[in-house]
Amino acid sequence: MYKSKRTKYIENIFIYLIIFMVVLWLFKPAMLRYAYLLSHTKTVLFFALTLIMGVIVHFYNSIGSEDRRITLLKTLILALVHSALYSVSMCLDTYILKLLLGLLILLASFVITSFTRAGEDRDFIFDWSFIAFCFVLYFWLSLFLPYDAGPDEYMRYDIPKFIYEHGTLPHGGDPEIRNVYWGFSYAFTPIAGYIPGALLMRLVSLFSTSDYALLSAARFPSVLFSTGSVYFAYKIAKDILGNKWSKLFILLFALWPEFIFISSYVNLDAMGMFSIMWILYAMLLAKKRKWSVKSCVFLGVGCGICVMSYYNYYTVLLIAIIYSVCELLSDKTIENKKTFLASRIAIVLFVALIIGGWVFIRNYAIYDGDFLGLETSRIYGEKYAMEQFKPSNRYTPASQGVGWLSFFFQYEWIRHSAESFIATFGYMDIYLYDAFYITTYIIAALSTVYLLSKNTRVLLKQNSKWNICMILHIMIVLLLGISYSYFFDFQPQGRYILPMLPAMLMLFTYSWIGLTKIKKRWIGYALVSIIGTFLLVQTYVSIFDVILYSYA
């Protein structure tokens, strides 16, 4: 719909003024904290040089722009981003981290200023600059974090280290990797995701065998998996949300604090999220290509990767089945649907088993028929764990007769899970400021309610099967997360419900799009801008304040 020049002007000025004021207000403590950096000539010159480079990038991207009225405001925002990120440099004691931070800021310049260009050229610059930005950010954090910075990283790191040292896959009960407290190891779970890390450790060892170099190599697959997730998020959002609003979804998904955190240490959560994004995109691609053999093979590869990750990411496999079957059966251009459906299921299943089935065959062979490895892990835990950590002595709310209301509120499952879903670091003991959690809860609650509005319902109906599957995915993930903590092991960690992140953010984006359809659209756009700005500032504070100064 056509917007008047006055509406465009007010909209742009309001959005960027809000961004500038909010970011400046939140970054003020950090600025004051590092004001003494200005007394160091090298720091000033370094900052000035990169700022000049950023401004050059900005004006280069402004060439051919149809609207230069807010160029000055964007330049100020760019300078603010440079100031905020370079205030971090005092904590960095290695040149590689400083170099990556410089590269990060240069890429941020491309991302921020790409909006001054028009058409496909702007989209190309934004898309690839942002993907590169995410890669550098994840890699930078993986190099910065100390050993064992994430939950049980020391136990997870034992697996690629074992493969690197011995050239073979370990038995889950091998004394070399079996934990002295818990009596088992992570090698009982699917371990294929640790193999790339071990191979990279071998490669890096040709140049250095230091503990830091080997740990960085083992973490690098998490960086790559998450960068791949961002790429698929970009492809999915373009298809579902359209070119304009896809950027909001991509920004929030890729820069979600907890997602950034799992991208920076040794784990299989990054691999699991990568498989979810692969499968979601493969579902859309298969529908678009009328379930061609190649598209079904592509879907099967994603399913194969998924089964080699953590079990809580398997929920997407059920969603893939439901969505694909419903779309295929409702496609009127396909004849002999039962035969066609059976053949496509066979292709996907065959490819998935080729890619990931060997993990369960191996488990079946070495764990006496226990193809998941869970029962064998329990047996080892009962035999070798310290007395208080044995499975038979493990506390669960169900075993203590705790009621559901007490489970959710007295035992604070909701609070702990929600906080660690947003941003909780270390061993779930490093938190954001309470104001960020509370504000995010309010945004999430209002966005959920606004899904019922007329404007949003119209948008949801455009891809009804897809959106129903997204809602179903969220419900299944939450149900499994609650059941696991209540019946098996009380661990209210947001990592266990993180598989619902893409679906949740996509539905919230629908709410925010609906918000811009109200009568006074500039108010809707302003509110969406405030929401987006707050969530991005939350990311900055999480990474460059909370994490940085917790480990500096």
Side-chain angles (χ1 to χ4, degrees):
M1 188 173 181
Y2 176 74
K3 297 180 184 178
S4 68
K5 289 184 178 180
R6 184 174 68 87
T7 302
K8 285 184 178 180
Y9 182 79
I10 294 174
E11 179 183 299
N12 288 334
I13 291 295
F14 189 88
I15 289 171
Y16 287 98
L17 193 58
I18 287 292
I19 292 173
F20 183 76
M21 292 175 62
V22 172
V23 175
L24 182 62
W25 176 72
L26 287 171
F27 289 170
K28 183 179 177 181
M31 295 295 198
L32 295 176
R33 192 185 307 173
Y34 305 115
Y36 75 91
L37 285 174
L38 296 177
S39 63
H40 298 277
T41 305
K42 290 183 179 179
T43 301
V44 174
L45 290 175
F46 194 33
F47 164 74
L49 179 61
T50 53
L51 179 56
I52 290 170
M53 290 173 63
V55 172
I56 290 173
V57 168
H58 171 50
F59 281 101
Y60 169 77
N61 282 337
S62 298
I63 297 173
S65 172
E66 297 177 358
D67 185 1
R68 297 189 181 88
R69 292 170 298 180
I70 53 174
T71 296
L72 178 60
L73 280 175
K74 289 187 177 181
T75 305
L76 291 175
I77 294 169
L78 184 65
L80 183 61
V81 170
H82 278 257
S83 301
L85 288 179
Y86 265 96
S87 69
V88 171
S89 63
M90 59 85 62
C91 290
L92 307 179
D93 55 359
T94 59
Y95 285 109
I96 183 63
L97 290 177
K98 292 184 178 181
L99 180 63
L100 285 174
L101 187 62
L103 180 58
L104 192 69
I105 292 180
L106 189 59
L107 289 169
S109 302
F110 275 101
V111 173
I112 292 169
T113 63
S114 64
F115 293 102
T116 61
R117 298 182 72 88
E120 295 182 0
D121 190 23
R122 176 191 65 187
D123 296 334
F124 178 82
I125 292 173
F126 172 84
D127 296 339
W128 291 104
S129 296
F130 184 67
I131 291 173
F133 172 87
C134 291
F135 168 77
V136 174
L137 175 62
Y138 305 155
F139 187 39
W140 180 88
L141 189 60
S142 74
L143 294 177
F144 172 78
L145 290 177
Y147 172 68
D148 199 27
D152 292 340
E153 187 183 29
Y154 75 102
M155 289 181 67
R156 305 176 204 275
Y157 179 60
D158 282 344
I159 300 173
K161 185 179 179 182
F162 182 96
I163 300 171
Y164 158 71
E165 292 177 346
H166 300 281
T168 184
L169 299 178
H171 185 286
D174 192 304
E176 187 172 336
I177 62 172
R178 192 177 66 224
N179 186 263
V180 296
Y181 298 103
W182 300 101
F184 61 86
S185 76
Y186 277 97
F188 283 115
T189 60
I191 61 174
Y194 299 110
I195 296 176
L199 295 176
L200 286 171
M201 291 172 72
R202 278 289 180 94
L203 179 62
V204 168
S205 68
L206 298 176
F207 307 96
S208 173
T209 55
S210 68
D211 292 339
Y212 178 76
L214 295 177
L215 176 63
S216 299
R219 286 173 169 177
F220 196 62
S222 294
V223 175
L224 293 178
F225 282 131
S226 290
T227 305
S229 296
V230 175
Y231 172 77
F232 283 124
Y234 151 75
K235 302 290 283 186
I236 294 166
K238 291 277 180 138
D239 200 335
I240 296 295
L241 300 172
N243 188 54
K244 178 181 178 181
W245 291 102
S246 63
K247 292 179 175 58
L248 179 60
F249 170 78
I250 295 166
L251 282 167
L252 297 182
F253 171 77
L255 299 180
W256 192 262
E258 196 65 25
F259 177 70
I260 296 175
F261 185 57
I262 67 167
S263 307
S264 60
Y265 66 93
V266 180
N267 66 85
L268 293 187
D269 287 294
M271 181 182 180
M273 186 62 74
F274 174 70
S275 70
I276 284 182
M277 303 311 289
W278 183 311
I279 291 170
L280 293 180
Y281 174 63
M283 288 158 49
L284 295 173
L285 187 66
K287 176 192 173 185
K288 187 184 299 183
R289 297 185 178 177
K290 300 296 181 181
W291 314 98
S292 66
V293 173
K294 286 185 178 180
S295 64
C296 289
V297 169
F298 187 70
L299 178 58
V301 172
C303 294
I305 295 172
C306 183
V307 299
M308 293 189 293
S309 66
Y310 289 141
Y311 298 131
N312 58 314
Y313 287 87
Y314 287 15
T315 52
V316 73
L317 299 176
L318 177 60
I319 298 304
I321 293 171
I322 295 172
Y323 176 80
S324 300
V325 170
C326 289
E327 285 288 0
L328 193 151
L329 293 178
S330 62
D331 192 332
K332 297 179 180 180
T333 64
I334 299 175
E335 300 178 354
N336 300 321
K337 290 182 179 178
K338 290 184 179 180
T339 303
F340 187 85
L341 176 61
S343 67
R344 271 29 188 185
I345 291 176
I347 292 172
V348 173
L349 186 60
F350 176 76
V351 174
L353 290 175
I354 290 295
I355 298 294
W358 66 271
V359 173
F360 304 104
I361 295 173
R362 177 180 179 270
N363 285 353
Y364 186 87
I366 67 176
Y367 299 140
D368 296 326
D370 183 15
F371 69 96
L372 290 178
L374 298 177
E375 179 61 21
T376 309
S377 177
R378 188 196 66 78
I379 293 172
Y380 269 80
E382 197 65 44
K383 185 176 181 180
Y384 294 105
M386 291 184 174
E387 190 64 29
Q388 64 270 34
F389 297 131
K390 293 181 182 295
S392 58
N393 296 329
R394 186 176 298 169
Y395 161 83
T396 65
S399 66
Q400 300 297 315
V402 175
W404 285 105
L405 287 178
S406 297
F407 169 74
F408 286 127
F409 299 105
Q410 184 179 344
Y411 285 78
E412 299 186 307
W413 184 91
I414 292 177
R415 184 177 74 85
H416 291 305
S417 295
E419 287 179 349
S420 54
F421 178 80
I422 297 167
T424 305
F425 314 110
Y427 272 67
M428 301 295 106
D429 55 358
I430 300 175
Y431 294 90
L432 260 177
Y433 309 113
D434 288 342
F436 284 100
Y437 292 124
I438 294 171
T439 307
T440 305
Y441 299 154
I442 294 172
I443 291 173
L446 294 178
S447 298
T448 302
V449 171
Y450 202 74
L451 282 171
L452 303 175
S453 70
K454 181 180 178 180
N455 290 336
T456 308
R457 290 202 310 271
V458 171
L459 295 169
L460 292 173
K461 289 178 181 179
Q462 295 174 5
N463 295 287
S464 57
K465 295 185 184 68
W466 173 271
N467 293 317
I468 289 172
C469 284
M470 293 302 100
I471 295 171
L472 184 61
H473 191 209
I474 292 173
M475 294 172 62
I476 294 172
V477 170
L478 284 174
L479 182 61
L480 290 178
I482 292 169
S483 299
Y484 181 77
S485 283
Y486 188 80
F487 293 105
F488 300 101
D489 188 8
F490 183 70
Q491 292 194 55
Q493 296 186 30
R495 293 183 303 116
Y496 297 141
I497 57 174
L498 202 61
M500 74 178 188
L501 178 64
M504 182 195 76
L505 289 180
M506 186 160 291
L507 292 173
F508 284 175
T509 304
Y510 273 116
S511 284
W512 301 332
I513 296 173
L515 194 60
T516 64
K517 306 295 183 183
I518 61 178
K519 188 174 182 180
K520 293 185 177 181
R521 295 195 173 188
W522 70 271
I523 296 178
Y525 277 100
L527 290 173
V528 172
S529 300
I530 293 171
I531 292 171
T533 300
F534 167 78
L535 294 175
L536 293 178
V537 169
Q538 178 175 261
T539 298
Y540 174 86
V541 174
S542 298
I543 305 304
F544 295 110
D545 186 359
V546 175
I547 289 181
L548 192 70
Y549 302 114
S550 295
Y551 292 111

